[in-house]
Amino acid sequence: MTTGRAVILGASSGLGAHVARRLAEEGWSVTGTGRRPRTDTDLPDEVRYLRSDLTDDEHLRELGAHLRKVDPDLVVHSVVTYGGDMATPRSVEDLGAMFRTNAIAPFVLIRDYLAGLPAARACSCVIVNSDSIYHANDTSAEYAATKAALRVLTAGLASACRGRRSSVSTLALGPLADPRKLAELTAIAERRRIPAEEVARIFLARLNPSLVITELIDLEACLRSVLHVVSLGPTANGMVIKLDGGSSGSLV
Ligand SMILES: NC(=O)c1ccc[n+]([C@@H]2O[C@H](COP(=O)([O-])OP(=O)(O)OC[C@H]3O[C@@H](n4cnc5c(N)ncnc54)[C@H](OP(=O)(O)O)[C@@H]3O)[C@@H](O)[C@H]2O)c1
């Protein structure tokens, strides 16, 4: 299949916005979700938009009903919270909300959606994850822990898909060339009067000494990876695509 119906969770910014926009350009019928109003997104008119907060029980139920109504061929989970200000220690409630947003709510949503699908119906679910799970430190550990939980829950979803037409796979990413990061690096480059590429190289070297990439990961490479998963159908079940510049090894 080259086109179909797609639901992109977390489509109001960053990677999710790119995937939603590009799929629509490729002829897919796309619904994107996010918390902010549609007017605060750059999504084109072709992408339908649903405001939905995964920390809200009612919204989660509505999103589940919406998934069943759309009956998508592709679901991409690109929702994330990085947890806000790192300087203030997070409370139990804040950490609970991070785990719920990044791992628990999408897990329940996709688990229940797939459980209601006939075994012969195909749906490719791509769960976006992060190389942060391999090199957590004092500032990233809490975020990384939510992504590690998501990774394990994703393995459970894939296991439940065995013998069915649907697939659940992981897109494990290193630092992305998202608009926010590009703007920050460009501002630093202008202040220091050095090329933006040089700033990116310094940023990547400091972020993770194991990274072998010297450029941020292109959002278009992520889109192509998603389409590759779709093209593989049920063969992609359990698959992990790592686009992280070789920063990690065996823990997938
Ligand atoms: N950016 C990177 O360098 C990088 C590196 C490795 C992996 N990743 C992974 O790539 C994925 C996308 O990251 P990104 O940086 O592109 O994300 P982003 O720009 O921060 O976008 C996050 C999306 O999640 C939505 N969201 C946040 N909290 C939500 C909630 N409670 N309920 C519903 N939606 C919520 C946001 O909606 P609103 O903004 O409208 O609230 C937005 O659409 C994530 O899985 C991330 O872990 C990113």
Side-chain angles (χ1 to χ4, degrees):
M1 176 199 299
T2 49
T3 63
R5 292 182 298 278
V7 172
I8 313 301
L9 307 171
S12 59
S13 83
L15 175 63
H18 181 85
V19 170
R21 185 182 317 110
R22 288 285 295 109
L23 286 174
E25 283 170 9
E26 301 271 328
W28 285 70
S29 167
V30 181
T31 304
T33 75
R35 283 177 308 179
R36 70 187 73 180
R38 184 190 181 108
T39 45
D40 292 351
T41 76
D42 293 329
L43 291 171
D45 292 344
E46 293 72 39
V47 174
R48 276 176 298 282
Y49 186 70
L50 185 70
R51 278 187 86 180
S52 179
D53 184 340
L54 293 184
T55 63
D56 183 305
D57 287 342
E58 188 53 35
H59 284 201
L60 194 56
R61 270 191 292 278
E62 284 169 12
L63 192 51
H66 191 78
L67 268 184
R68 290 190 294 279
K69 191 170 137 206
V70 172
D71 188 25
D73 306 288
L74 168 65
V75 178
V76 178
H77 164 47
S78 190
V79 168
V80 69
T81 176
Y82 295 105
D85 175 23
M86 299 296 303
T88 316
R90 296 186 182 102
S91 64
V92 170
E93 288 74 22
D94 290 345
L95 287 172
M98 273 180 86
F99 272 84
R100 174 172 171 143
T101 304
N102 292 355
I104 297 167
F107 165 72
V108 168
L109 187 71
I110 292 169
R111 178 198 66 190
D112 293 354
Y113 175 63
L114 290 175
L117 277 189
R121 167 79 177 115
C123 177
S124 304
C125 300
V126 180
I127 312 296
V128 182
N129 215 304
S130 164
D131 72 332
S132 64
I133 64 179
Y134 305 111
H135 49 85
N137 58 28
D138 56 337
T139 56
S140 68
E142 293 160 358
Y143 161 70
T146 68
K147 302 303 279 191
L150 177 65
R151 175 65 205 120
V152 177
L153 292 169
T154 303
L157 291 174
S159 173
C161 275
R162 285 167 71 176
R164 303 170 69 93
R165 299 289 299 158
S166 294
S167 72
V168 182
S169 54
T170 289
L171 188 54
L173 302 174
L176 296 176
D178 57 69
R180 189 173 39 210
K181 209 178 295 103
L182 288 179
E184 284 168 11
L185 295 179
T186 304
I188 295 170
E190 281 168 6
R191 267 203 314 278
R192 301 208 177 154
R193 295 169 190 235
I194 54 175
E197 296 76 24
E198 181 58 22
V199 179
R201 271 195 289 278
I202 295 167
F203 166 76
L204 289 167
R206 287 193 185 155
L207 184 71
N208 175 7
S210 305
L211 279 172
V212 296
I213 51 170
T214 55
E215 291 176 358
L216 297 167
I217 292 163
D218 184 14
L219 298 186
E220 193 62 15
C222 303
L223 173 78
R224 289 205 300 278
S225 301
V226 168
L227 290 173
H228 180 55
V229 164
V230 173
S231 73
L232 290 176
T235 307
N237 193 39
M239 183 174 175
V240 179
I241 297 186
K242 282 167 83 248
L243 277 176
D244 67 355
S247 68
S248 57
S250 58
L251 288 177
V252 170

